[in-house]
Amino acid sequence: MPRWRELPEELDPQVREFTGQLRRIVERSGMSVVAVADRTGYSKSSWERYLNGRLLPPQRAVEALAEATGAGAHHLITLWELAERAWSRSENRHDVTMEAISVAQARAAIEEFAPEQGKRNGHPSEKAVKGAEAAEADRAAAPPGPERPRMPTAAATAPPTAPYPGAAPSAPGVPAAPDSSEEGRGGRRRMALFAGAAVGSLLLVAGAVFLVGTGDGDDGKPVAAPKTAPATTAPSLPRGVKCAGKGCTGKDPEAMGCGGAKAITSANLTVGTAYVEVRYSEICGAAWARITRAAPGDQIRVSAPGGGGGASVSRSGEVNTGGEAYTRMVSVKTIAQATACATLTSGARGCTDRTANG
């Protein structure tokens, strides 16, 4: 009877229940993981991930297991659907958490360079708001009198007038006597508030000019804006598929959701007693090599042409135990671009597009 690893503590309860059911079905069947892989068409390493809660199997794999063991497919698929929804919720929570962390880091970086006074992130600072509220309270509490301008205007160039009723007008060039009234103090507070806001705005503009530059070169001519790559939209991938094209090169096909029912065998041959395949996923735009009925030490390799006429790209794998192995993926544009080659410990060699016996 197989000895299972402890399931991850963070595993969702519905995923945990479904994985436990898979284990019980395998135990009752008396089959090893290798035998389950042979009967279902999914690799031994994939079933190890499924039965240890590291990866949720595709529906086709669950149906193949039910058929191979005689288990009730309807009940098992129902459990799989519940587990699949729980697995998706867990992935969404992870994505939202990572997005929130990124937003928090971006805000922290912006606030590090924001001015101490004036506006911050497009809104008045707390200090400015409190100052405005205090000035408004002073104005409301002041005795009735003529309205004084809140900001200097063109009227400042007009002939001097008395600052308040009964006061003598000040001579040109001579500052008026300090106003000790509540209205005067309120006016000074308002002027200080607006002056602080103006200084903050100037600092913000100066910082933007310093970071972006004036737009003129050393010869006084406008500098052309830097060329940026056109915005591209990431391709929409089916649920569970995590890469496409060049993004799949060097990655595990099962972990990226490219294997199982999403892949086909595009080429194959027999080398000695080993069975060699090229596995191709159109959704992922990638291929890999798989070898079964092999011995420990047998090697497998997948190759594909490099982009733009460059050197070919290849990935290799080696059989350890269980009689099978597969490589990581290489990006391909067509089903015929990938080639799988095997080198056995017996000395036999062969490739899907040619064979050679040594």
Side-chain angles (χ1 to χ4, degrees), residues 152-177:
T153 64
T157 60
T161 58
Y164 53 89
S170 58
V174 178

Side-chain angles (χ1 to χ4, degrees), residues 50-120:
Y50 302 155
L51 294 169
N52 287 320
R54 294 167 54 196
L55 190 67
L56 191 70
Q59 184 175 349
R60 293 282 185 85
V62 177
E63 293 172 347
L65 178 65
E67 182 179 354
T69 59
H74 178 74
H75 174 68
L76 193 58
I77 292 301
T78 299
L79 290 178
W80 176 84
E81 291 175 349
L82 296 174
E84 196 273 340
R85 286 195 288 269
W87 189 279
S88 298
R89 288 195 300 269
S90 178
E91 287 186 342
N92 291 336
R93 285 195 298 270
H94 174 75
D95 293 342
V96 170
T97 300
M98 296 306 297
E99 182 178 354
I101 292 174
S102 300
V103 171
Q105 291 174 343
R107 286 178 177 171
I110 292 173
E111 292 177 357
E112 182 179 353
F113 295 99
E116 291 293 328
Q117 296 182 356
K119 294 183 178 181
R120 179 175 298 157

Side-chain angles (χ1 to χ4, degrees), residues 12-354:
D12 186 272
Q14 289 178 328
V15 179
R16 182 182 295 273
E17 179 183 358
F18 172 70
T19 305
Q21 183 66 20
L22 291 182
R23 290 180 171 185
R24 287 190 289 272
I25 290 174
V26 173
E27 289 174 355
R28 286 197 300 266
S29 69
M31 293 191 296
S32 66
V33 178
V34 174
V36 170
D38 289 339
R39 295 286 297 276
T40 60
Y42 290 79
S43 67
K44 172 178 173 290
S45 57
S46 296
W47 277 111
E48 287 176 344
R49 292 186 180 95
Y50 302 155
L51 294 169
N52 287 320
R54 294 167 54 196
L55 190 67
L56 191 70
Q59 184 175 349
R60 293 282 185 85
V62 177
E63 293 172 347
L65 178 65
E67 182 179 354
T69 59
H74 178 74
H75 174 68
L76 193 58
I77 292 301
T78 299
L79 290 178
W80 176 84
E81 291 175 349
L82 296 174
E84 196 273 340
R85 286 195 288 269
W87 189 279
S88 298
R89 288 195 300 269
S90 178
E91 287 186 342
N92 291 336
R93 285 195 298 270
H94 174 75
D95 293 342
V96 170
T97 300
M98 296 306 297
E99 182 178 354
I101 292 174
S102 300
V103 171
Q105 291 174 343
R107 286 178 177 171
I110 292 173
E111 292 177 357
E112 182 179 353
F113 295 99
E116 291 293 328
Q117 296 182 356
K119 294 183 178 181
R120 179 175 298 157
N121 293 336
H123 300 283
S125 64
E126 183 179 357
K127 184 176 180 180
V129 172
K130 290 183 178 179
E133 292 175 350
E136 186 65 23
D138 288 341
R139 189 185 67 79
E147 180 69 13
R148 298 186 59 161
R150 296 190 177 186
M151 291 188 64
T153 64
T157 60
T161 58
Y164 53 89
S170 58
V174 178
D179 190 354
S180 60
S181 66
E182 292 294 330
E183 177 68 18
R185 286 197 296 270
R188 287 195 296 273
R189 287 174 180 167
R190 288 192 292 273
M191 292 299 294
L193 171 63
F194 286 110
V199 171
S201 300
L202 289 175
L203 288 175
L204 184 60
V205 172
V209 171
F210 176 77
L211 292 174
V212 177
T214 60
D216 292 338
D218 295 337
D219 56 357
K221 295 181 180 180
V223 178
K227 295 182 179 180
T228 58
T232 57
T233 303
S236 178
L237 298 176
R239 177 177 293 181
V241 178
K242 301 178 182 178
C243 71
K246 293 181 179 180
C248 290
T249 298
K251 295 182 179 178
D252 188 306
E254 298 295 338
M256 294 294 104
C258 300
K262 299 182 178 69
I264 62 172
T265 296
S266 61
N268 63 85
L269 82 159
T270 300
V271 181
T273 59
Y275 181 61
V276 180
E277 300 171 86
V278 174
R279 298 287 288 169
Y280 169 74
S281 172
E282 182 179 5
I283 293 175
C284 296
W288 62 97
R290 183 170 72 182
I291 185 171
T292 54
R293 303 200 302 266
D298 290 349
Q299 297 181 351
I300 185 73
R301 184 180 77 255
V302 64
S303 303
S312 64
V313 181
S314 64
R315 291 293 184 272
S316 301
E318 182 174 335
V319 178
N320 293 321
T321 58
E324 67 176 54
Y326 63 90
T327 68
R328 291 180 177 266
M329 294 184 285
V330 294
S331 172
V332 294
K333 292 184 178 180
T334 65
I335 193 172
Q337 283 188 319
T339 301
C341 296
T343 302
L344 309 185
T345 55
S346 63
R349 298 191 301 272
C351 298
T352 53
D353 62 348
R354 63 186 183 279

